[in-house]
Amino acid sequence: MPFDFKKEYKEFYMPKNKPEIVNVPSANYIAVRGNGDPNEEDGEYKKAIAVLYAVAYTLKMSYKTDHHIEGFFDYVVPPLEGFWWQEGVDGVDYSDKSTFRWISVIRLPDFITKADFAWAVETAEKKKKLDCSKAEFMTIDEGLCVQMMHIGAFDNEPVSVAIMNKYLEDNGYANDFSDIRRHHEIYLSDARKIASEKWKTVIRHPIRIR
């Protein structure tokens, strides 16, 4: 059976729909940065997602090519994730999506090196005829965080965030947003196939002890 990050690391991908504290270890990602409303047709965000998946699946299927990745084992491509922020806003203001700044990411297995990543970007560009130049190999160390599973549409996330904030207040923690610590979402549902009231999204915020 292919290695599945969601099943092997349930504490990071399958939390309960109530707040919990986690210490998230450093990991490597395919990343694309951008700005603007993620719902915009043919916008930056949708183009970024196409690049992420093109590179991710090129790496996953590398064993069928002449490119040998040392230590490779079969795996399920991890879910799409996103780090979101807006200038001058503590957290996220869903009422003005045009001001979003984001880094969209897909986790990489530890055996993927920067050289393997560069090969995948070049190969995906040629095979998919897609500009993948914005793809980055990014290492992210989230550290101490609060997270919970949000069930429902993205626009309803403030309800879950309020629950998380109350939990922090009651348990001696505080949010710790900064230029490198962001509002984080992990998308576990295919929005094209599932009704919005059933979407599952992990919401994760950086925190500190008060």
Side-chain angles (χ1 to χ4, degrees):
M1 292 289 290
F3 184 91
D4 190 334
F5 286 86
K6 297 191 301 298
K7 294 179 180 178
E8 298 296 331
Y9 301 115
K10 289 182 179 179
E11 66 269 35
F12 304 127
Y13 291 96
M14 301 298 292
K16 298 177 181 178
N17 60 338
K18 61 181 182 180
E20 58 188 34
I21 304 298
V22 290
N23 205 325
V24 186
S26 176
N28 297 326
Y29 298 83
I30 311 165
V32 178
R33 304 169 189 261
N35 305 281
D37 189 339
N39 298 316
E40 182 183 350
E41 287 297 328
D42 297 321
E44 273 193 61
Y45 184 76
K46 293 187 177 179
K47 291 177 182 177
I49 303 311
V51 170
L52 289 174
Y53 279 108
V55 176
Y57 277 96
T58 297
L59 287 165
K60 173 181 167 57
M61 304 306 293
S62 62
Y63 68 93
K64 292 188 175 183
T65 73
D66 294 332
H67 183 82
H68 175 71
I69 297 179
E70 186 175 353
F72 181 93
F73 53 78
D74 194 15
Y75 62 96
V76 177
V77 170
L80 177 68
E81 309 183 34
F83 294 87
W84 300 83
W85 71 98
Q86 292 151 304
E87 293 302 318
V89 176
D90 185 16
V92 177
D93 176 9
Y94 294 86
S95 67
D96 188 6
K97 297 182 177 67
S98 66
T99 62
F100 274 149
R101 298 191 177 190
W102 40 263
I103 304 174
S104 291
V105 303
I106 293 177
R107 185 171 176 173
L108 291 169
D110 291 342
F111 56 73
I112 301 293
T113 66
K114 289 183 178 180
D116 297 322
F117 179 83
W119 167 83
V121 170
E122 182 180 356
T123 301
E125 280 197 343
K126 291 177 180 177
K127 186 174 181 180
K128 301 290 186 180
K129 294 181 171 55
L130 182 68
D131 180 5
C132 296
S133 60
K134 289 187 176 181
E136 303 175 41
F137 183 101
M138 183 177 290
T139 301
I140 300 173
D141 187 358
E142 290 191 83
L144 191 65
C145 296
V146 62
Q147 67 179 18
M148 70 176 287
M149 184 74 77
H150 170 74
I151 309 294
F154 302 135
D155 285 350
N156 293 334
E157 285 185 12
V159 175
S160 293
V161 169
I163 294 171
M164 291 163 63
N165 289 342
K166 180 66 164 55
Y167 177 86
L168 296 180
E169 183 179 342
D170 291 346
N171 289 276
Y173 295 93
N175 285 307
D176 190 30
F177 296 110
S178 71
D179 288 344
I180 58 172
R181 307 192 78 202
R182 311 289 194 185
H183 172 94
H184 184 183
E185 299 179 357
I186 304 174
Y187 309 108
L188 301 177
S189 302
D190 187 338
R192 300 167 300 178
K193 300 177 181 178
I194 299 174
S196 61
E197 62 268 20
K198 296 181 180 180
W199 290 351
K200 292 184 177 181
T201 306
V202 180
I203 302 176
R204 184 182 294 161
H205 283 174
I207 62 172
R208 58 177 172 79
I209 298 173
R210 278 208 309 268

